[in-house]
Amino acid sequence: MEEIAERYRRRAAAFEHKVAAVRPEQWGDQSPCEKWTARDVVDHIVGMHGYMLMPAGRSLDGATTVQEDPLAAFQAARAAVEAVLDDPALAKQESDTPAGRMTTEAHIDQVISDDLVLHGWDLARATGQDETMDPGDVERLWSSNSAIPPEVIEMYRTPDAFGPGVEVFGPEVMVPADAPLQDRLLGFIGRTP
């Protein structure tokens, strides 16, 4: 579906712009994710790209690591995912995922594409960049996340529920009901806006 590929490309371009704007001395700066620095945020995103490639029988070449060059590592991961999205046979290939059986492109859309927006905010906050998310992305993410059943949300908020070291959402941060939607979304996933 071209819509998924276009959404991914737009979000990846925005994330790449943030990575490129990080000054060398900022890579060790604390992110809103308690256990992660700015570099760790990019490392997570690159690693998740690798997981999204597995069902398509692909992997990251690992020629450049985030430790060596965060921008080059992200660009390589982005190119690998875009190659899968551009290949109809790979994009439409179905596999079992933690969220059920779905196509590779749907899995990319629901996981890494959404992560680019949320972790893009983390990287922006960590490095003093513009934290404004695309309003359309905020509405889409609010709609999908607020529709998650409470028992699943509870699992998302439970460290290690999806494997050792895996934390999906932090504890909800309460924000006023009339706060901007971006702030409500961030509070819902455990960030302090």
Side-chain angles (χ1 to χ4, degrees):
M1 180 186 250
E2 287 184 29
E3 179 184 346
I4 288 174
E6 288 172 11
R7 182 168 35 251
Y8 172 82
R9 279 183 170 74
R10 177 177 54 76
R11 291 171 169 181
F15 189 84
E16 184 173 320
H17 178 77
K18 288 177 177 70
V19 174
V22 177
R23 296 187 312 274
E25 70 274 11
Q26 292 180 305
W27 285 114
D29 289 358
Q30 180 62 50
S31 83
C33 300
E34 188 176 301
K35 298 175 184 175
W36 289 350
T37 63
R39 186 182 304 274
D40 294 330
V41 171
V42 178
D43 192 52
H44 169 74
I45 288 291
V46 169
M48 290 302 295
H49 275 67
Y51 288 124
M52 296 298 104
L53 295 171
M54 291 170 140
R58 301 284 178 93
S59 64
L60 297 176
D61 67 15
T64 304
T65 69
V66 173
Q67 292 303 316
E68 297 166 333
D69 186 338
L71 180 59
F74 176 72
Q75 289 169 331
R78 176 184 177 185
V81 166
E82 287 176 352
V84 168
L85 291 172
D86 290 341
D87 182 326
L90 293 177
K92 299 293 184 195
Q93 183 176 314
E94 289 192 2
S95 63
D96 293 318
T97 75
R101 191 156 184 83
M102 66 181 71
T103 64
T104 300
E105 68 180 357
H107 196 210
I108 288 168
D109 195 39
Q110 289 182 16
V111 178
I112 194 63
S113 187
D114 286 354
D115 264 8
L116 289 169
V117 178
L118 300 171
H119 289 307
W121 182 86
D122 292 330
L123 186 60
R125 171 64 60 102
T127 58
Q129 298 183 50
D130 182 1
E131 299 175 9
T132 307
M133 296 180 194
D134 177 275
D137 287 339
V138 171
E139 287 180 26
R140 181 180 169 83
L141 288 166
W142 176 257
S143 177
S144 63
N145 283 297
S146 61
I148 298 171
E151 63 274 10
V152 176
I153 289 292
E154 186 175 332
M155 285 182 62
Y156 281 8
R157 295 191 196 288
T158 304
D160 303 326
F162 292 95
V166 178
E167 295 180 30
V168 180
F169 291 167
E172 185 170 6
V173 174
M174 301 311 293
V175 298
D178 62 349
L181 190 57
Q182 176 173 309
D183 291 356
R184 287 184 280 151
L185 172 64
L186 290 166
F188 184 78
I189 65 168
R191 304 291 197 276
T192 302

